[in-house]
């Protein structure tokens, strides 16, 4: 994958049929901790801690931001990053193509196995984490189109059956919804939340509200629509203008954005994740107008050797940790439980055999496991040290 010209495009929201090929792989292909030699595994731990040294121009001695009440006071306590991890296992998928996405299922019940999914090439694979570092292969789905290249995945669940559902999308612009229980691809899915923040190759970040009367009615009608009772297609809503837009945060392609309460974390190819909010510090994000041109930058999480496109970060379920990999196989983990984001402590994780670009990371719901997927089709498991 090139740095720009062959970058993944955003997936369009259309449902697809079930992949023609689907297989449940045998458990003898599972990966055990023995795959890593003892000496190398002993060295694969948290190796250094540091702080963000570069400060943006925006001052932080302003009132608290909604959703992150302690940020913006300009106070901090000096301490080392309290999170440490140890590499306990790795494996490699046989297609040998880049793995672009990984996600743990956060909708499982307490005590259920920790399940995560990976996407890369035209394959979707499900794994289960067990004690002693074991990673057990559960299922693998292969798209009928050999040219499909899956870029992203996300978990949800069926509110009627409580079955887990996995949404995957890639270069063909088709969103597929897979039910791992029935091992079938289905078409129905639900969208929760009231705001969406989008990003793209035009350097911009856009806020879209989906709680307007128009959108609420459209979502309601989508559940009532029955194609067996009418020849008329369902009328999709097209929203051409966002509720807020800015190009003042990044000067390159924006490839990842996440909500942090009412604050926003976003990154480009500039070796920094930026924490910011639309408008001024005291402005309510729900009252931001499309004409608003101000943005408030609260802080930056700096790193190195990550200036290629489509390298995505993740946070744990409780938004206490932030993790990102770079293009030479290093993992950065930041402590978000701080009063000043400028003084965020970072732990760097390395392993001598992990040298390929880390495309995405994912924490288990209990934050005990961190998974990273790479350009060489490898998967790396890091367990948190207590």
């Amino acid at each position: 994958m090139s740095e720009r010209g062959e970058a993944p495009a955003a997936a369009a929201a259309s449902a697809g049929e079930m992949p023609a090929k689907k297989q449940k792989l045998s458990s003898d292909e599972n990966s055990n901790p023995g795959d890593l030699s003892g000496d190398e595994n002993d060295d694969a731990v948290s190796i250094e801690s540091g702080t963000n040294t570069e400060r943006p121009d925006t001052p932080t001695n302003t009132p608290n931001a909604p959703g992150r009440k302690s940020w913006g006071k300009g106070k901090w306590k000096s301490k080392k990053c309290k999170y440490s991890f140890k590499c306990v296992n790795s494996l490699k998928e046989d297609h040998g193509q880049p793995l672009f996405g990984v996600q743990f299922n956060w909708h499982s019940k307490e005590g259920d196995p920790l399940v995560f999914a990976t996407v890369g090439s035209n394959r979707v694979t499900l794994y289960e984490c067990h004690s002693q570092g074991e990673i057990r292969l559960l299922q693998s789905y292969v798209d009928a189109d050999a040219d499909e290249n899956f870029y992203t995945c996300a978990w949800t669940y069926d509110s009627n059956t409580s079955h887990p559902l996995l949404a995957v999308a890639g270069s063909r612009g088709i969103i597929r919804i897979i039910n791992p229980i029935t091992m079938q691809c289905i078409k129905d899915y639900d969208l929760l939340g009231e705001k969406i923040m989008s990003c793209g190759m035009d350097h911009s970040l856009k806020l879209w509200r989906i709680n307007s009367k128009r959108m609420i009615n459209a979502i309601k009608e989508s559940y009532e629509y029955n194609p067996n009772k009418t020849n008329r297609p369902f009328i999709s809503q097209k929203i051409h203008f966002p509720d807020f837009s800015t190009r003042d945060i990044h000067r390159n392609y924006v490839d990842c954005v996440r909500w942090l309460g009412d604050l926003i974390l976003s990154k480009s190819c500039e070796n920094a994740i930026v924490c910011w909010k639309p408008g001024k510090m005291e402005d309510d994000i729900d009252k931001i107008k499309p004409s608003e041109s101000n943005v408030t930058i609260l802080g930056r999480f700096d790193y190195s050797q990550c200036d290629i496109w489509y390298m995505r970060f993740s946070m744990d379920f409780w938004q206490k940790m932030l993790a990102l990999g770079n293009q030479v196989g290093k993992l950065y983990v930041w402590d978000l439980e701080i009063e000043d984001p400028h003084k965020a402590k970072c732990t760097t994780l390395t392993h001598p055999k992990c040298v390929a670009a880390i495309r995405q990371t994912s924490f288990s719901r209990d934050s005990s496991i961190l998974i990273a997927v790479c350009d060489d089709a490898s998967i790396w498991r890091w367990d948190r040290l207590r």
Side-chain angles (χ1 to χ4, degrees):
M1 179 178 176
S2 67
E3 294 183 16
R4 296 187 182 180
E6 299 172 13
S14 60
E17 296 77 16
M18 178 181 175
K21 297 180 181 179
K22 178 188 67 177
Q23 53 188 344
K24 187 172 183 179
L25 302 183
S26 60
S27 60
D28 59 1
E29 296 186 59
N30 299 335
S31 176
N32 294 309
D35 295 342
L36 297 176
S37 68
D39 293 339
E40 289 171 343
N41 199 25
D42 290 342
D43 293 336
V45 296
S46 310
I47 63 169
E48 62 185 55
S49 296
T51 60
N52 291 318
T53 57
E54 184 174 349
R55 298 182 65 94
D57 295 333
T58 305
T60 59
N61 55 344
T62 50
N64 298 340
R68 213 65 182 180
K69 295 182 179 180
S70 62
W71 287 15
K73 293 182 178 180
K75 299 179 180 179
W76 60 281
K77 297 179 180 179
S78 178
K79 61 178 181 179
K80 293 183 178 180
C81 182
K82 59 186 176 183
Y83 300 116
S84 298
F85 291 82
K86 184 180 182 67
C87 186
V88 297
N89 203 352
S90 69
L91 58 90
K92 183 175 289 189
E93 296 190 0
D94 58 9
H95 54 76
Q97 300 300 309
L99 292 174
F100 288 110
V102 58
Q103 289 292 333
F104 268 101
N105 179 13
W106 285 353
H107 302 287
S108 58
K109 298 178 181 178
E110 186 175 355
D112 286 351
L114 301 176
V115 175
F116 69 90
T118 64
V119 291
S121 185
N122 65 334
R123 190 180 301 181
V124 180
T125 310
L126 276 60
Y127 299 92
E128 193 173 86
C129 290
H130 289 262
S131 60
Q132 306 302 315
E134 181 186 0
I135 300 175
R136 184 175 300 172
L137 178 63
L138 295 180
Q139 300 172 11
S140 184
Y141 299 84
V142 180
D143 195 86
D145 188 346
D147 293 329
E148 174 66 285
N149 198 0
F150 289 117
Y151 295 137
T152 189
C153 61
W155 289 93
T156 183
Y157 64 93
D158 188 316
S159 58
N160 295 321
T161 64
S162 297
H163 286 178
L165 301 176
L166 179 66
V168 298
S171 59
R172 294 181 61 203
I174 297 174
I175 297 178
R176 300 189 183 278
I177 313 295
I178 298 171
N179 184 330
I181 303 299
T182 63
M183 291 190 290
Q184 291 181 334
C185 184
I186 63 176
K187 295 183 179 181
D188 299 320
Y189 62 95
D190 190 13
L191 182 64
L192 302 177
E194 296 183 344
K195 297 184 289 292
I196 296 175
M197 182 63 68
S198 66
C199 61
M201 299 171 71
D202 61 353
H203 309 185
S204 68
L205 292 126
K206 296 181 173 65
L207 173 66
W208 309 82
R209 293 192 178 96
I210 58 173
N211 58 350
S212 64
K213 290 184 179 179
R214 175 184 175 186
M215 291 300 297
I216 291 174
N217 290 336
I219 294 172
K220 180 181 178 181
E221 291 171 0
S222 70
Y223 284 96
E224 299 171 351
Y225 175 76
N226 187 341
N228 298 323
K229 295 183 178 179
T230 178
N231 292 326
R232 299 179 59 185
F234 179 77
I235 301 176
S236 300
Q237 295 295 315
K238 297 180 180 180
I239 309 298
H240 297 284
F241 302 102
D243 294 283
F244 172 82
S245 179
T246 182
R247 297 182 65 183
D248 294 337
I249 305 299
H250 302 286
R251 290 178 173 81
N252 209 320
Y253 299 168
V254 186
D255 55 11
C256 192
V257 60
R258 297 285 186 271
W259 289 101
L260 181 62
D262 283 342
L263 305 179
I264 298 163
L265 293 174
S266 62
K267 69 167 287 290
S268 180
C269 312
E270 304 160 328
N271 287 312
I273 298 171
V274 181
C275 179
W276 62 282
K277 72 179 297 290
K280 298 179 180 179
M281 191 67 183
E282 63 272 14
D283 291 344
D284 186 343
I285 192 170
D286 291 323
K287 297 180 181 179
I288 293 292
K289 297 180 180 179
S291 59
E292 178 63 64
S293 60
N294 292 315
V295 294
T296 301
I297 297 177
L298 297 172
R300 293 162 54 99
F301 300 89
D302 296 302
Y303 43 88
S304 63
Q305 295 178 291
C306 191
D307 54 4
I308 62 175
W309 164 247
Y310 213 62
M311 306 282 283
R312 295 181 290 166
F313 60 84
S314 68
M315 287 182 285
D316 70 315
F317 179 80
W318 302 106
Q319 297 190 335
K320 295 180 178 180
M321 287 184 285
L322 171 68
L324 172 73
N326 71 2
Q327 62 206 55
V328 294
K330 287 186 179 181
L331 268 171
Y332 299 91
V333 181
W334 289 270
D335 179 5
L336 296 181
E337 288 189 289
I338 51 175
E339 293 183 344
D340 187 344
H342 298 116
K343 300 299 179 181
K345 300 293 181 178
C346 175
T347 295
T348 306
L349 311 177
T350 64
H351 189 280
K353 288 188 176 182
C354 185
V355 295
I358 298 175
R359 289 292 175 175
Q360 193 173 26
T361 59
S362 182
F363 288 96
S364 60
R365 183 184 171 103
D366 63 0
S367 305
S368 64
I369 299 174
L370 174 62
I371 296 290
V373 294
C374 302
D375 264 1
D376 61 356
S378 63
I379 302 170
W380 296 82
R381 172 175 170 174
W382 294 80
D383 283 9
R384 183 177 166 188
L385 302 177
R386 300 293 181 177

